[in-house]
Amino acid sequence: MEKKQVYRVLLVLVIILAIAYTLGVVGILPFEVSEAVTGFMVVLFFVLKFKERTRK
């Protein structure tokens, strides 16, 4: 896939995860959902950062 399209898909994914995180913090979803989303976002951040560093 083209880089621009990948970032658009990631943007949609992050927005959905942010909504799930918020619902978990508020108490509508179990708080474990928020913990899982936080872990996934941290891993995603490091993967993207590592990928960008290897490109240069």
Side-chain angles (χ1 to χ4, degrees), residues 1-2 5 8 10 14 22 24 27-28 30-32 36 39 47 49 51-52:
M1 278 195 316
E2 189 178 322
Q5 188 176 12
R8 285 182 181 168
L10 284 175
V14 167
T22 304
I28 296 174
F31 188 70
E32 289 79 17
V47 166
K49 188 153 184 88
K51 187 176 180 181
E52 192 63 33

Side-chain angles (χ1 to χ4, degrees), residues 1-31:
M1 278 195 316
E2 189 178 322
K3 185 177 179 181
K4 191 174 186 180
Q5 188 176 12
V6 170
Y7 282 120
R8 285 182 181 168
V9 171
L10 284 175
L11 176 64
V12 171
L13 178 66
V14 167
I15 290 172
I16 291 169
L17 290 175
I19 292 169
Y21 177 84
T22 304
L23 292 175
V25 169
V26 171
I28 296 174
L29 293 176
F31 188 70

